[in-house]
């Protein structure tokens, strides 16, 4: 059969006569029916695409060699893939170990509290003097009446200044809402 003579009909005959044997060969290499079938089909496609340049002397032997080579490439790629996956798994395990040690060495409550206190102090420092004084006295546990008497202002003014203080703190501390709810509930008593 010369290369120009590898017509569609001859190719179809070659496919029908050899596909089962080639599948068995491919399966013996890859041990997966779907992969073996894909390799056989890809090998035939390769033959068809190169039909003009293939030596016609022993097309069947050439086809078996193509299937074998494709199987070997597949196995090599699988081994490389497994090796890469193993390296990734090892790196992830090392990273998780590092994160675990880091988390264990830190007290999240301490970090959280420190962050809140820093924001709180900055915001209190920026308050007008009267607002800061009212707020500070309230955080010390003083009643509205006591604060009014100490600062010589009305209870209504105490209430107004506390509202200003809480409004000033709400926005920067919004991410810590659950803690603030408890905090502001204590302020209102």
């Amino acid at each position: 059969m010369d290369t120009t003579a590898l017509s569609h009909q001859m190719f179809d005959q070659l496919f029908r006569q050899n596909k089962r044997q080639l599948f068995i060969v491919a399966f013996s290499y890859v041990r997966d029916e779907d992969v073996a079938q894909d390799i056989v089909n890809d090998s035939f496609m390769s033959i068809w695409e190169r039909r003009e340049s293939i030596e016609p002397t022993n097309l069947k032997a050439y086809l078996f060699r193509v299937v074998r080579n494709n199987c070997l490439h597949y196995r090599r790629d699988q081994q490389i893939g497994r090796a890469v996956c193993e390296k990734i798994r090892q790196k992830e395990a090392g990273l998780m170990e590092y994160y675990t040690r880091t988390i264990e060495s830190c007290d999240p409550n301490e970090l959280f509290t420190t962050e809140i206190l820093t924001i709180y102090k900055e915001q209190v420092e920026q308050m007008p003097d009267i607002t800061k004084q009212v707020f500070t006295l309230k955080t010390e546990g003083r009643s509205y009446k006591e604060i009014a008497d100490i600062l010589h202002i009305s209870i209504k003014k105490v209430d107004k200044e506390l509202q200003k203080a809480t409004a000033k703190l709400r926005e920067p501390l919004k991410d810590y809402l659950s803690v603030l709810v408890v905090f502001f509930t204590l302020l209102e008593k």
Side-chain angles (χ1 to χ4, degrees):
M1 163 185 333
D2 71 43
T3 44
T4 56
L6 185 58
S7 66
H8 189 312
Q9 181 181 10
M10 294 171 84
F11 178 80
D12 189 49
Q13 181 181 358
L14 181 69
F15 177 77
R16 278 187 274 113
Q17 288 175 352
N18 296 291
K19 70 178 177 181
R20 184 69 188 145
Q21 286 177 310
L22 291 169
F23 171 79
I24 292 168
V25 168
F27 184 77
S28 72
Y29 279 100
V30 298
R31 296 289 182 213
D32 182 308
E33 289 183 9
D34 292 333
V35 172
Q37 190 62 51
D38 287 344
I39 287 173
V40 170
N41 290 339
D42 290 347
S43 298
F44 273 106
M45 282 301 286
S46 175
I47 298 282
W48 179 252
E49 289 169 354
R50 289 186 270 155
R51 68 187 175 275
E52 298 298 323
S53 62
I54 296 173
E55 288 293 321
T57 52
N58 195 346
L59 199 52
K60 187 173 179 177
Y62 179 75
L63 187 56
F64 274 88
R65 193 168 55 248
V66 169
V67 168
R68 184 201 64 169
N69 289 343
N70 286 345
C71 289
L72 293 174
H73 287 295
Y74 172 81
R75 287 180 57 126
R76 185 197 67 224
D77 291 347
Q78 289 297 102
Q79 288 173 340
I80 290 170
R82 280 193 293 276
V84 167
C85 286
E86 181 59 26
K87 283 184 181 180
I88 290 170
R89 190 196 63 72
Q90 288 173 355
K91 286 194 182 278
E92 285 177 345
L95 195 56
M96 290 306 294
E97 178 64 27
Y98 171 77
Y99 286 148
T100 301
R101 284 193 316 269
T102 302
I103 291 169
E104 287 172 346
S105 69
C106 294
D107 180 4
N109 291 330
E110 185 179 306
L111 293 173
F112 186 69
T113 303
T114 303
E115 197 172 325
I116 289 175
L117 286 175
T118 301
I119 294 169
Y120 167 80
K121 286 176 184 176
E122 288 172 357
Q123 294 303 311
V124 169
E125 284 303 312
Q126 294 175 10
M127 291 179 187
D129 284 338
I130 188 71
T131 307
K132 188 186 317 180
Q133 289 172 345
V134 169
F135 185 74
T136 302
L137 289 169
K138 186 59 181 162
T139 58
E140 291 172 358
R142 309 277 181 140
S143 70
Y144 280 43
K145 172 109 174 79
E146 290 173 316
I147 297 169
D149 290 344
I150 292 169
L151 297 176
H152 307 293
I153 58 176
S154 69
I155 292 175
K156 194 170 199 159
K157 176 78 171 166
V158 169
D159 185 50
K160 184 178 175 186
E161 294 304 319
L162 282 175
Q163 287 177 14
K164 282 184 193 176
T166 54
K168 176 97 173 128
L169 290 170
R170 266 192 199 111
E171 181 59 29
L173 293 173
K174 69 181 180 217
D175 295 333
Y176 309 97
L177 186 58
S178 59
V179 174
L180 292 176
V181 168
V182 172
F183 181 72
F184 288 124
T185 302
L186 293 174
L187 282 180
E188 305 220 346
K189 290 183 179 179

